[in-house]
Amino acid sequence: MEQFECAIIGGGAAGLSAGLYLGLSLRNTVIFDNGTNRNRVTKKSHGYLTRDGVTPNEFKHLAMKDIQHYDNVKLVNQAVKNISKTEGRKFLIHTENGAIFEVGKIILSTGIQEVFPNNINVREFYGKSMFSCPYCDGWEVKNQPLIVIAESDEHAMHLGKLVYNWSKDIIIASNGHKFKERTIELFQQKGIEIIEFRITKLRGDNGMLKAVEFDSGMVIERTGGFISPTYKRTNDFAEKLGCEINENGHIVTDDWARTSEPNIYVAGECKNLKSTSLSIAAAEGSQVAKMVNMDIINENF
Ligand SMILES: Cc1cc2nc3c(=O)[nH]c(=O)nc-3n(C[C@H](O)[C@H](O)[C@H](O)COP(=O)(O)OP(=O)(O)OC[C@H]3O[C@@H](n4cnc5c(N)ncnc54)[C@H](O)[C@@H]3O)c2cc1C
């Protein structure tokens, strides 16, 4: 059984950045990744200094290349299936291929995935012409006729105003939700149409949106759009390991990303179930790695 000081579960922006810092800190580290980073569905990645416009694959490939420079860090392209505690205050990590690794500290950085309204076929278009983050993809669809799908007043107020920054030709669809009068008035003052019928289908080819169909029979032509999904973690490692989770589903940590369980840390979007960006996730990853390293130093000094 291979043994490591640290394991990083999830090699997205947060996990790979943590891996780089642990590599620099001479820590014997293993990173597990199963290739389901959230931005894998899109063509271009924006907003990361020096890497604006690269594909998500290229971004990840370059990050892994940086890490491979440090031979104290091992990359394992396998899904982690289970994590258990040993009596000696260590952890056993079981992968999908049946391999077992013993580690002293764990960083959870497995990200989040979107949950879309189940009556809309968003997945077919997501990352190609339908998006969730205007900062990431607004520039790519600027000035196009767009649909903004927002199922609450709060989401409409936020996403509708935001997307209007990139295109004045937007229609807001509530997917059946009834907006408050003042929400409707605000958008109407800007000449923005609001449709409160339920969406029955997004139409298009190869992920490129052409039209939106409603249960009233109405069909509107649109070439792209934005939606506010909710988010979930795709595993219950934190719960099973006994980490405290608050009423919003966030993993509770101290200011330094230590969870309530000794030797378990968390980085990236899986902590707060909130969509952020590559740069924010990477910054969190580097921060948590520094904490892991300092904790090991303090334990052994
Ligand atoms: C369509 C779209 C476009 C986007 N465009 C941009 C953009 O242009 N610019 C930008 O800054 N951000 C963009 N983002 C947001 C960006 O993808 C996230 O902010 C970022 O990926 C979060 O990093 P993370 O490390 O927390 O999670 P992720 O990058 O999602 O990484 C989590 C990693 O954990 C791994 N994992 C999960 N479970 C397991 C397991 N059991 N075992 C092993 N590995 C596991 C996954 O394979 C994955 O690689 C976009 C997102 C989407 C959906």
Side-chain angles (χ1 to χ4, degrees), residues 10-14 32-39 41-42 45-46 60 78-80 109-111 114 126-127 136-137 237 268-269 276-278 281:
F32 299 93
D33 191 66
N34 68 349
T36 57
N37 42 298
R38 202 161 65 80
N39 60 344
V41 294
T42 197
S45 173
H46 283 293
K60 202 161 178 172
Q78 286 181 44
V80 169
S109 51
T110 49
E114 294 79 359
Y126 195 56
C136 302
D137 299 293
F237 296 144
E269 292 181 336
T276 59
S277 65
L278 295 166

PDB file of all heavy atoms in Angstrom, residues 10-14 32-39 41-42 45-46 60 78-80 109-111 114 126-127 136-137 237 268-269 276-278 281, ligand 1:
ATOM      1  N   GLY A  10      -9.631  15.362  -5.893  1.00  0.00           N
ATOM      2  CA  GLY A  10     -10.181  16.295  -6.873  1.00  0.00           C
ATOM      3  C   GLY A  10      -9.110  17.219  -7.414  1.00  0.00           C
ATOM      4  O   GLY A  10      -8.634  18.109  -6.710  1.00  0.00           O
ATOM      5  N   GLY A  11      -8.726  16.991  -8.667  1.00  0.00           N
ATOM      6  CA  GLY A  11      -7.678  17.808  -9.284  1.00  0.00           C
ATOM      7  C   GLY A  11      -8.246  18.791 -10.286  1.00  0.00           C
ATOM      8  O   GLY A  11      -7.925  18.768 -11.469  1.00  0.00           O
ATOM      9  N   GLY A  12      -9.124  19.679  -9.803  1.00  0.00           N
ATOM     10  CA  GLY A  12      -9.558  20.820 -10.616  1.00  0.00           C
ATOM     11  C   GLY A  12      -8.650  21.994 -10.275  1.00  0.00           C
ATOM     12  O   GLY A  12      -7.511  21.806  -9.813  1.00  0.00           O
ATOM     13  N   ALA A  13      -9.155  23.211 -10.485  1.00  0.00           N
ATOM     14  CA  ALA A  13      -8.323  24.392 -10.227  1.00  0.00           C
ATOM     15  C   ALA A  13      -7.863  24.434  -8.770  1.00  0.00           C
ATOM     16  O   ALA A  13      -6.689  24.706  -8.483  1.00  0.00           O
ATOM     17  CB  ALA A  13      -9.109  25.649 -10.573  1.00  0.00           C
ATOM     18  N   ALA A  14      -8.774  24.139  -7.835  1.00  0.00           N
ATOM     19  CA  ALA A  14      -8.418  24.204  -6.408  1.00  0.00           C
ATOM     20  C   ALA A  14      -7.413  23.110  -6.057  1.00  0.00           C
ATOM     21  O   ALA A  14      -6.370  23.375  -5.447  1.00  0.00           O
ATOM     22  CB  ALA A  14      -9.681  24.065  -5.548  1.00  0.00           C
ATOM     23  N   PHE A  32      -5.876  12.783  -6.640  1.00  0.00           N
ATOM     24  CA  PHE A  32      -6.790  11.913  -7.389  1.00  0.00           C
ATOM     25  C   PHE A  32      -7.717  12.775  -8.235  1.00  0.00           C
ATOM     26  O   PHE A  32      -8.242  13.786  -7.755  1.00  0.00           O
ATOM     27  CB  PHE A  32      -7.652  11.079  -6.426  1.00  0.00           C
ATOM     28  CG  PHE A  32      -6.846  10.176  -5.547  1.00  0.00           C
ATOM     29  CD1 PHE A  32      -6.430  10.596  -4.287  1.00  0.00           C
ATOM     30  CD2 PHE A  32      -6.483   8.915  -5.982  1.00  0.00           C
ATOM     31  CE1 PHE A  32      -5.673   9.768  -3.470  1.00  0.00           C
ATOM     32  CE2 PHE A  32      -5.724   8.071  -5.171  1.00  0.00           C
ATOM     33  CZ  PHE A  32      -5.319   8.503  -3.913  1.00  0.00           C
ATOM     34  N   ASP A  33      -7.946  12.358  -9.472  1.00  0.00           N
ATOM     35  CA  ASP A  33      -8.885  13.117 -10.307  1.00  0.00           C
ATOM     36  C   ASP A  33      -9.569  12.200 -11.305  1.00  0.00           C
ATOM     37  O   ASP A  33      -8.935  11.331 -11.895  1.00  0.00           O
ATOM     38  CB  ASP A  33      -8.160  14.238 -11.057  1.00  0.00           C
ATOM     39  CG  ASP A  33      -9.159  15.180 -11.705  1.00  0.00           C
ATOM     40  OD1 ASP A  33      -9.888  15.864 -10.960  1.00  0.00           O
ATOM     41  OD2 ASP A  33      -9.243  15.204 -12.947  1.00  0.00           O
ATOM     42  N   ASN A  34     -10.874  12.422 -11.505  1.00  0.00           N
ATOM     43  CA  ASN A  34     -11.604  11.583 -12.470  1.00  0.00           C
ATOM     44  C   ASN A  34     -12.120  12.371 -13.675  1.00  0.00           C
ATOM     45  O   ASN A  34     -13.032  11.925 -14.377  1.00  0.00           O
ATOM     46  CB  ASN A  34     -12.748  10.830 -11.780  1.00  0.00           C
ATOM     47  CG  ASN A  34     -13.857  11.754 -11.317  1.00  0.00           C
ATOM     48  OD1 ASN A  34     -13.687  12.968 -11.334  1.00  0.00           O
ATOM     49  ND2 ASN A  34     -14.977  11.197 -10.917  1.00  0.00           N
ATOM     50  N   GLY A  35     -11.550  13.564 -13.903  1.00  0.00           N
ATOM     51  CA  GLY A  35     -11.816  14.291 -15.149  1.00  0.00           C
ATOM     52  C   GLY A  35     -13.214  14.871 -15.298  1.00  0.00           C
ATOM     53  O   GLY A  35     -13.698  15.049 -16.412  1.00  0.00           O
ATOM     54  N   THR A  36     -13.867  15.198 -14.182  1.00  0.00           N
ATOM     55  CA  THR A  36     -15.216  15.771 -14.296  1.00  0.00           C
ATOM     56  C   THR A  36     -15.251  17.229 -13.831  1.00  0.00           C
ATOM     57  O   THR A  36     -16.262  17.691 -13.297  1.00  0.00           O
ATOM     58  CB  THR A  36     -16.248  14.945 -13.488  1.00  0.00           C
ATOM     59  OG1 THR A  36     -15.807  14.882 -12.119  1.00  0.00           O
ATOM     60  CG2 THR A  36     -16.395  13.540 -14.032  1.00  0.00           C
ATOM     61  N   ASN A  37     -14.130  17.953 -14.026  1.00  0.00           N
ATOM     62  CA  ASN A  37     -14.117  19.378 -13.658  1.00  0.00           C
ATOM     63  C   ASN A  37     -15.294  20.090 -14.320  1.00  0.00           C
ATOM     64  O   ASN A  37     -15.632  19.827 -15.467  1.00  0.00           O
ATOM     65  CB  ASN A  37     -12.790  20.043 -14.041  1.00  0.00           C
ATOM     66  CG  ASN A  37     -12.287  19.615 -15.389  1.00  0.00           C
ATOM     67  OD1 ASN A  37     -12.007  18.439 -15.585  1.00  0.00           O
ATOM     68  ND2 ASN A  37     -12.206  20.532 -16.325  1.00  0.00           N
ATOM     69  N   ARG A  38     -15.899  21.021 -13.599  1.00  0.00           N
ATOM     70  CA  ARG A  38     -17.189  21.586 -14.000  1.00  0.00           C
ATOM     71  C   ARG A  38     -17.149  22.270 -15.365  1.00  0.00           C
ATOM     72  O   ARG A  38     -18.100  22.230 -16.127  1.00  0.00           O
ATOM     73  CB  ARG A  38     -17.651  22.580 -12.908  1.00  0.00           C
ATOM     74  CG  ARG A  38     -19.134  22.837 -12.901  1.00  0.00           C
ATOM     75  CD  ARG A  38     -19.564  23.409 -11.584  1.00  0.00           C
ATOM     76  NE  ARG A  38     -19.014  24.710 -11.313  1.00  0.00           N
ATOM     77  CZ  ARG A  38     -19.472  25.854 -11.816  1.00  0.00           C
ATOM     78  NH1 ARG A  38     -20.507  25.850 -12.620  1.00  0.00           N
ATOM     79  NH2 ARG A  38     -18.908  26.998 -11.505  1.00  0.00           N
ATOM     80  N   ASN A  39     -16.024  22.919 -15.699  1.00  0.00           N
ATOM     81  CA  ASN A  39     -15.975  23.678 -16.956  1.00  0.00           C
ATOM     82  C   ASN A  39     -15.636  22.806 -18.165  1.00  0.00           C
ATOM     83  O   ASN A  39     -15.441  23.316 -19.263  1.00  0.00           O
ATOM     84  CB  ASN A  39     -14.956  24.819 -16.851  1.00  0.00           C
ATOM     85  CG  ASN A  39     -13.557  24.324 -16.562  1.00  0.00           C
ATOM     86  OD1 ASN A  39     -13.370  23.186 -16.147  1.00  0.00           O
ATOM     87  ND2 ASN A  39     -12.571  25.173 -16.763  1.00  0.00           N
ATOM     88  N   VAL A  41     -17.360  21.189 -20.089  1.00  0.00           N
ATOM     89  CA  VAL A  41     -18.353  21.232 -21.166  1.00  0.00           C
ATOM     90  C   VAL A  41     -18.166  22.426 -22.097  1.00  0.00           C
ATOM     91  O   VAL A  41     -18.824  22.515 -23.130  1.00  0.00           O
ATOM     92  CB  VAL A  41     -19.790  21.293 -20.591  1.00  0.00           C
ATOM     93  CG1 VAL A  41     -20.132  20.009 -19.853  1.00  0.00           C
ATOM     94  CG2 VAL A  41     -19.971  22.504 -19.663  1.00  0.00           C
ATOM     95  N   THR A  42     -17.294  23.355 -21.727  1.00  0.00           N
ATOM     96  CA  THR A  42     -17.202  24.578 -22.525  1.00  0.00           C
ATOM     97  C   THR A  42     -15.948  24.601 -23.396  1.00  0.00           C
ATOM     98  O   THR A  42     -15.033  23.810 -23.201  1.00  0.00           O
ATOM     99  CB  THR A  42     -17.293  25.822 -21.610  1.00  0.00           C
ATOM    100  OG1 THR A  42     -17.600  26.950 -22.411  1.00  0.00           O
ATOM    101  CG2 THR A  42     -16.003  26.078 -20.861  1.00  0.00           C
ATOM    102  N   SER A  45     -11.929  29.043 -21.883  1.00  0.00           N
ATOM    103  CA  SER A  45     -11.875  29.418 -20.487  1.00  0.00           C
ATOM    104  C   SER A  45     -11.375  30.857 -20.408  1.00  0.00           C
ATOM    105  O   SER A  45     -10.325  31.175 -20.959  1.00  0.00           O
ATOM    106  CB  SER A  45     -10.911  28.462 -19.801  1.00  0.00           C
ATOM    107  OG  SER A  45     -10.702  28.855 -18.503  1.00  0.00           O
ATOM    108  N   HIS A  46     -12.129  31.703 -19.725  1.00  0.00           N
ATOM    109  CA  HIS A  46     -11.756  33.116 -19.674  1.00  0.00           C
ATOM    110  C   HIS A  46     -11.409  33.576 -18.259  1.00  0.00           C
ATOM    111  O   HIS A  46     -11.886  33.022 -17.274  1.00  0.00           O
ATOM    112  CB  HIS A  46     -12.911  33.981 -20.192  1.00  0.00           C
ATOM    113  CG  HIS A  46     -13.014  33.968 -21.685  1.00  0.00           C
ATOM    114  ND1 HIS A  46     -12.052  34.515 -22.498  1.00  0.00           N
ATOM    115  CD2 HIS A  46     -13.953  33.454 -22.516  1.00  0.00           C
ATOM    116  CE1 HIS A  46     -12.399  34.355 -23.771  1.00  0.00           C
ATOM    117  NE2 HIS A  46     -13.541  33.703 -23.811  1.00  0.00           N
ATOM    118  N   LYS A  60      -6.014  22.481 -17.822  1.00  0.00           N
ATOM    119  CA  LYS A  60      -5.731  21.390 -16.889  1.00  0.00           C
ATOM    120  C   LYS A  60      -4.406  20.704 -17.240  1.00  0.00           C
ATOM    121  O   LYS A  60      -3.611  20.369 -16.359  1.00  0.00           O
ATOM    122  CB  LYS A  60      -6.887  20.384 -16.955  1.00  0.00           C
ATOM    123  CG  LYS A  60      -7.004  19.524 -15.742  1.00  0.00           C
ATOM    124  CD  LYS A  60      -8.386  18.912 -15.649  1.00  0.00           C
ATOM    125  CE  LYS A  60      -8.462  18.005 -14.453  1.00  0.00           C
ATOM    126  NZ  LYS A  60      -9.800  17.520 -14.195  1.00  0.00           N
ATOM    127  N   GLN A  78      -7.918   8.467 -11.253  1.00  0.00           N
ATOM    128  CA  GLN A  78      -8.962   7.516 -10.844  1.00  0.00           C
ATOM    129  C   GLN A  78      -9.929   8.219  -9.913  1.00  0.00           C
ATOM    130  O   GLN A  78      -9.533   9.117  -9.162  1.00  0.00           O
ATOM    131  CB  GLN A  78      -8.346   6.347 -10.076  1.00  0.00           C
ATOM    132  CG  GLN A  78      -7.595   5.352 -10.930  1.00  0.00           C
ATOM    133  CD  GLN A  78      -7.038   4.224 -10.063  1.00  0.00           C
ATOM    134  OE1 GLN A  78      -7.715   3.705  -9.195  1.00  0.00           O
ATOM    135  NE2 GLN A  78      -5.785   3.886 -10.307  1.00  0.00           N
ATOM    136  N   ALA A  79     -11.171   7.747  -9.931  1.00  0.00           N
ATOM    137  CA  ALA A  79     -12.155   8.273  -8.976  1.00  0.00           C
ATOM    138  C   ALA A  79     -11.920   7.646  -7.614  1.00  0.00           C
ATOM    139  O   ALA A  79     -11.635   6.452  -7.515  1.00  0.00           O
ATOM    140  CB  ALA A  79     -13.561   7.945  -9.448  1.00  0.00           C
ATOM    141  N   VAL A  80     -12.028   8.468  -6.583  1.00  0.00           N
ATOM    142  CA  VAL A  80     -12.010   7.945  -5.213  1.00  0.00           C
ATOM    143  C   VAL A  80     -13.417   7.462  -4.895  1.00  0.00           C
ATOM    144  O   VAL A  80     -14.401   8.168  -5.137  1.00  0.00           O
ATOM    145  CB  VAL A  80     -11.566   9.045  -4.221  1.00  0.00           C
ATOM    146  CG1 VAL A  80     -11.793   8.614  -2.784  1.00  0.00           C
ATOM    147  CG2 VAL A  80     -10.104   9.393  -4.468  1.00  0.00           C
ATOM    148  N   SER A 109     -11.453  18.568  -2.546  1.00  0.00           N
ATOM    149  CA  SER A 109     -11.614  19.627  -3.563  1.00  0.00           C
ATOM    150  C   SER A 109     -12.318  19.032  -4.779  1.00  0.00           C
ATOM    151  O   SER A 109     -11.857  19.174  -5.905  1.00  0.00           O
ATOM    152  CB  SER A 109     -10.249  20.213  -3.936  1.00  0.00           C
ATOM    153  OG  SER A 109      -9.335  19.183  -4.264  1.00  0.00           O
ATOM    154  N   THR A 110     -13.428  18.353  -4.516  1.00  0.00           N
ATOM    155  CA  THR A 110     -14.116  17.612  -5.584  1.00  0.00           C
ATOM    156  C   THR A 110     -15.136  18.459  -6.343  1.00  0.00           C
ATOM    157  O   THR A 110     -15.864  17.933  -7.189  1.00  0.00           O
ATOM    158  CB  THR A 110     -14.808  16.357  -5.016  1.00  0.00           C
ATOM    159  OG1 THR A 110     -15.556  16.735  -3.865  1.00  0.00           O
ATOM    160  CG2 THR A 110     -13.807  15.292  -4.628  1.00  0.00           C
ATOM    161  N   GLY A 111     -15.216  19.763  -6.047  1.00  0.00           N
ATOM    162  CA  GLY A 111     -16.063  20.644  -6.840  1.00  0.00           C
ATOM    163  C   GLY A 111     -17.554  20.405  -6.618  1.00  0.00           C
ATOM    164  O   GLY A 111     -17.973  19.741  -5.654  1.00  0.00           O
ATOM    165  N   GLU A 114     -23.994  21.195 -11.489  1.00  0.00           N
ATOM    166  CA  GLU A 114     -25.241  21.941 -11.611  1.00  0.00           C
ATOM    167  C   GLU A 114     -26.461  21.034 -11.478  1.00  0.00           C
ATOM    168  O   GLU A 114     -26.436  19.896 -11.933  1.00  0.00           O
ATOM    169  CB  GLU A 114     -25.335  22.629 -12.983  1.00  0.00           C
ATOM    170  CG  GLU A 114     -24.318  23.712 -13.238  1.00  0.00           C
ATOM    171  CD  GLU A 114     -22.943  23.181 -13.632  1.00  0.00           C
ATOM    172  OE1 GLU A 114     -22.755  21.955 -13.694  1.00  0.00           O
ATOM    173  OE2 GLU A 114     -22.056  24.009 -13.871  1.00  0.00           O
ATOM    174  N   TYR A 126     -25.580  23.298 -22.610  1.00  0.00           N
ATOM    175  CA  TYR A 126     -24.761  23.904 -21.564  1.00  0.00           C
ATOM    176  C   TYR A 126     -23.278  23.890 -21.944  1.00  0.00           C
ATOM    177  O   TYR A 126     -22.722  22.857 -22.307  1.00  0.00           O
ATOM    178  CB  TYR A 126     -24.986  23.156 -20.248  1.00  0.00           C
ATOM    179  CG  TYR A 126     -24.486  23.911 -19.042  1.00  0.00           C
ATOM    180  CD1 TYR A 126     -24.924  25.204 -18.774  1.00  0.00           C
ATOM    181  CD2 TYR A 126     -23.583  23.335 -18.165  1.00  0.00           C
ATOM    182  CE1 TYR A 126     -24.474  25.900 -17.667  1.00  0.00           C
ATOM    183  CE2 TYR A 126     -23.132  24.022 -17.046  1.00  0.00           C
ATOM    184  CZ  TYR A 126     -23.580  25.302 -16.806  1.00  0.00           C
ATOM    185  OH  TYR A 126     -23.132  25.994 -15.706  1.00  0.00           O
ATOM    186  N   GLY A 127     -22.680  25.064 -21.883  1.00  0.00           N
ATOM    187  CA  GLY A 127     -21.263  25.195 -22.215  1.00  0.00           C
ATOM    188  C   GLY A 127     -21.031  25.554 -23.674  1.00  0.00           C
ATOM    189  O   GLY A 127     -19.930  25.934 -24.061  1.00  0.00           O
ATOM    190  N   CYS A 136     -17.690  34.510 -17.294  1.00  0.00           N
ATOM    191  CA  CYS A 136     -16.952  33.478 -18.030  1.00  0.00           C
ATOM    192  C   CYS A 136     -17.317  33.499 -19.509  1.00  0.00           C
ATOM    193  O   CYS A 136     -16.463  33.330 -20.368  1.00  0.00           O
ATOM    194  CB  CYS A 136     -17.275  32.089 -17.478  1.00  0.00           C
ATOM    195  SG  CYS A 136     -16.914  31.904 -15.734  1.00  0.00           S
ATOM    196  N   ASP A 137     -18.603  33.679 -19.823  1.00  0.00           N
ATOM    197  CA  ASP A 137     -19.065  33.432 -21.191  1.00  0.00           C
ATOM    198  C   ASP A 137     -19.835  34.580 -21.829  1.00  0.00           C
ATOM    199  O   ASP A 137     -20.210  34.483 -22.996  1.00  0.00           O
ATOM    200  CB  ASP A 137     -19.926  32.154 -21.199  1.00  0.00           C
ATOM    201  CG  ASP A 137     -19.108  30.960 -20.736  1.00  0.00           C
ATOM    202  OD1 ASP A 137     -18.178  30.580 -21.460  1.00  0.00           O
ATOM    203  OD2 ASP A 137     -19.354  30.457 -19.626  1.00  0.00           O
ATOM    204  N   PHE A 237     -18.331  12.482   0.940  1.00  0.00           N
ATOM    205  CA  PHE A 237     -17.108  12.205   1.709  1.00  0.00           C
ATOM    206  C   PHE A 237     -17.095  13.022   3.009  1.00  0.00           C
ATOM    207  O   PHE A 237     -16.791  12.500   4.076  1.00  0.00           O
ATOM    208  CB  PHE A 237     -15.850  12.544   0.904  1.00  0.00           C
ATOM    209  CG  PHE A 237     -15.654  11.701  -0.328  1.00  0.00           C
ATOM    210  CD1 PHE A 237     -15.110  12.237  -1.485  1.00  0.00           C
ATOM    211  CD2 PHE A 237     -16.008  10.354  -0.334  1.00  0.00           C
ATOM    212  CE1 PHE A 237     -14.916  11.466  -2.618  1.00  0.00           C
ATOM    213  CE2 PHE A 237     -15.822   9.566  -1.469  1.00  0.00           C
ATOM    214  CZ  PHE A 237     -15.277  10.126  -2.615  1.00  0.00           C
ATOM    215  N   GLY A 268     -11.999  25.108  -2.756  1.00  0.00           N
ATOM    216  CA  GLY A 268     -12.751  25.221  -4.007  1.00  0.00           C
ATOM    217  C   GLY A 268     -14.250  25.224  -3.780  1.00  0.00           C
ATOM    218  O   GLY A 268     -14.743  25.415  -2.666  1.00  0.00           O
ATOM    219  N   GLU A 269     -14.974  24.984  -4.867  1.00  0.00           N
ATOM    220  CA  GLU A 269     -16.427  25.185  -4.855  1.00  0.00           C
ATOM    221  C   GLU A 269     -17.174  24.185  -3.984  1.00  0.00           C
ATOM    222  O   GLU A 269     -18.310  24.440  -3.593  1.00  0.00           O
ATOM    223  CB  GLU A 269     -16.945  25.126  -6.297  1.00  0.00           C
ATOM    224  CG  GLU A 269     -16.459  26.316  -7.123  1.00  0.00           C
ATOM    225  CD  GLU A 269     -16.973  26.324  -8.547  1.00  0.00           C
ATOM    226  OE1 GLU A 269     -17.323  25.244  -9.070  1.00  0.00           O
ATOM    227  OE2 GLU A 269     -17.019  27.417  -9.137  1.00  0.00           O
ATOM    228  N   THR A 276     -17.864  29.798  -8.463  1.00  0.00           N
ATOM    229  CA  THR A 276     -16.918  30.923  -8.395  1.00  0.00           C
ATOM    230  C   THR A 276     -16.170  31.014  -9.717  1.00  0.00           C
ATOM    231  O   THR A 276     -16.779  31.249 -10.751  1.00  0.00           O
ATOM    232  CB  THR A 276     -15.952  30.778  -7.195  1.00  0.00           C
ATOM    233  OG1 THR A 276     -15.222  29.559  -7.314  1.00  0.00           O
ATOM    234  CG2 THR A 276     -16.686  30.822  -5.884  1.00  0.00           C
ATOM    235  N   SER A 277     -14.874  30.820  -9.710  1.00  0.00           N
ATOM    236  CA  SER A 277     -14.095  30.878 -10.951  1.00  0.00           C
ATOM    237  C   SER A 277     -12.783  30.140 -10.725  1.00  0.00           C
ATOM    238  O   SER A 277     -12.422  29.810  -9.586  1.00  0.00           O
ATOM    239  CB  SER A 277     -13.814  32.330 -11.346  1.00  0.00           C
ATOM    240  OG  SER A 277     -12.980  32.908 -10.368  1.00  0.00           O
ATOM    241  N   LEU A 278     -12.073  29.919 -11.825  1.00  0.00           N
ATOM    242  CA  LEU A 278     -10.800  29.193 -11.737  1.00  0.00           C
ATOM    243  C   LEU A 278      -9.815  29.925 -10.837  1.00  0.00           C
ATOM    244  O   LEU A 278      -9.115  29.304 -10.029  1.00  0.00           O
ATOM    245  CB  LEU A 278     -10.201  29.049 -13.142  1.00  0.00           C
ATOM    246  CG  LEU A 278     -11.015  28.179 -14.106  1.00  0.00           C
ATOM    247  CD1 LEU A 278     -10.528  28.376 -15.531  1.00  0.00           C
ATOM    248  CD2 LEU A 278     -10.947  26.717 -13.702  1.00  0.00           C
ATOM    249  N   ALA A 281     -10.849  29.557  -7.135  1.00  0.00           N
ATOM    250  CA  ALA A 281     -10.614  28.179  -6.673  1.00  0.00           C
ATOM    251  C   ALA A 281      -9.116  27.918  -6.524  1.00  0.00           C
ATOM    252  O   ALA A 281      -8.666  27.309  -5.547  1.00  0.00           O
ATOM    253  CB  ALA A 281     -11.249  27.189  -7.646  1.00  0.00           C
TER     254      ALA A 281
HETATM  255  C1  LIG B   1     -19.889  26.144 -18.698  1.00  0.00           C
HETATM  256  C2  LIG B   1     -18.869  26.658 -17.720  1.00  0.00           C
HETATM  257  C3  LIG B   1     -17.941  27.592 -18.126  1.00  0.00           C
HETATM  258  C4  LIG B   1     -17.018  28.099 -17.227  1.00  0.00           C
HETATM  259  N1  LIG B   1     -16.120  29.010 -17.673  1.00  0.00           N
HETATM  260  C5  LIG B   1     -15.220  29.525 -16.820  1.00  0.00           C
HETATM  261  C6  LIG B   1     -14.292  30.507 -17.272  1.00  0.00           C
HETATM  262  O1  LIG B   1     -14.275  30.867 -18.455  1.00  0.00           O
HETATM  263  N2  LIG B   1     -13.437  31.034 -16.355  1.00  0.00           N
HETATM  264  C7  LIG B   1     -13.440  30.654 -15.038  1.00  0.00           C
HETATM  265  O2  LIG B   1     -12.635  31.167 -14.264  1.00  0.00           O
HETATM  266  N3  LIG B   1     -14.312  29.720 -14.589  1.00  0.00           N
HETATM  267  C8  LIG B   1     -15.198  29.148 -15.442  1.00  0.00           C
HETATM  268  N4  LIG B   1     -16.095  28.223 -14.993  1.00  0.00           N
HETATM  269  C9  LIG B   1     -16.136  27.910 -13.552  1.00  0.00           C
HETATM  270  C10 LIG B   1     -15.018  26.922 -13.178  1.00  0.00           C
HETATM  271  O3  LIG B   1     -15.200  25.730 -13.901  1.00  0.00           O
HETATM  272  C11 LIG B   1     -15.067  26.644 -11.680  1.00  0.00           C
HETATM  273  O4  LIG B   1     -15.089  27.858 -10.956  1.00  0.00           O
HETATM  274  C12 LIG B   1     -13.845  25.839 -11.236  1.00  0.00           C
HETATM  275  O5  LIG B   1     -13.727  24.690 -12.045  1.00  0.00           O
HETATM  276  C13 LIG B   1     -13.955  25.435  -9.765  1.00  0.00           C
HETATM  277  O6  LIG B   1     -12.802  24.729  -9.404  1.00  0.00           O
HETATM  278  P1  LIG B   1     -12.854  23.516  -8.346  1.00  0.00           P
HETATM  279  O7  LIG B   1     -11.455  23.021  -8.266  1.00  0.00           O
HETATM  280  O8  LIG B   1     -13.551  23.925  -7.116  1.00  0.00           O
HETATM  281  O9  LIG B   1     -13.789  22.409  -9.033  1.00  0.00           O
HETATM  282  P2  LIG B   1     -13.577  21.626 -10.423  1.00  0.00           P
HETATM  283  O10 LIG B   1     -12.738  22.400 -11.359  1.00  0.00           O
HETATM  284  O11 LIG B   1     -14.935  21.219 -10.861  1.00  0.00           O
HETATM  285  O12 LIG B   1     -12.713  20.360  -9.999  1.00  0.00           O
HETATM  286  C14 LIG B   1     -13.192  19.335  -9.189  1.00  0.00           C
HETATM  287  C15 LIG B   1     -12.389  18.112  -9.580  1.00  0.00           C
HETATM  288  O13 LIG B   1     -12.686  17.037  -8.678  1.00  0.00           O
HETATM  289  C16 LIG B   1     -12.644  15.828  -9.409  1.00  0.00           C
HETATM  290  N5  LIG B   1     -13.444  14.835  -8.683  1.00  0.00           N
HETATM  291  C17 LIG B   1     -14.741  14.926  -8.300  1.00  0.00           C
HETATM  292  N6  LIG B   1     -15.105  13.819  -7.629  1.00  0.00           N
HETATM  293  C18 LIG B   1     -14.011  13.009  -7.603  1.00  0.00           C
HETATM  294  C19 LIG B   1     -13.750  11.715  -7.062  1.00  0.00           C
HETATM  295  N7  LIG B   1     -14.678  11.028  -6.390  1.00  0.00           N
HETATM  296  N8  LIG B   1     -12.521  11.178  -7.240  1.00  0.00           N
HETATM  297  C20 LIG B   1     -11.548  11.854  -7.917  1.00  0.00           C
HETATM  298  N9  LIG B   1     -11.735  13.090  -8.431  1.00  0.00           N
HETATM  299  C21 LIG B   1     -12.954  13.649  -8.274  1.00  0.00           C
HETATM  300  C22 LIG B   1     -13.205  16.169 -10.780  1.00  0.00           C
HETATM  301  O14 LIG B   1     -12.715  15.304 -11.760  1.00  0.00           O
HETATM  302  C23 LIG B   1     -12.718  17.607 -10.986  1.00  0.00           C
HETATM  303  O15 LIG B   1     -11.561  17.668 -11.800  1.00  0.00           O
HETATM  304  C24 LIG B   1     -17.015  27.668 -15.872  1.00  0.00           C
HETATM  305  C25 LIG B   1     -17.936  26.698 -15.463  1.00  0.00           C
HETATM  306  C26 LIG B   1     -18.847  26.198 -16.372  1.00  0.00           C
HETATM  307  C27 LIG B   1     -19.841  25.161 -15.927  1.00  0.00           C
END
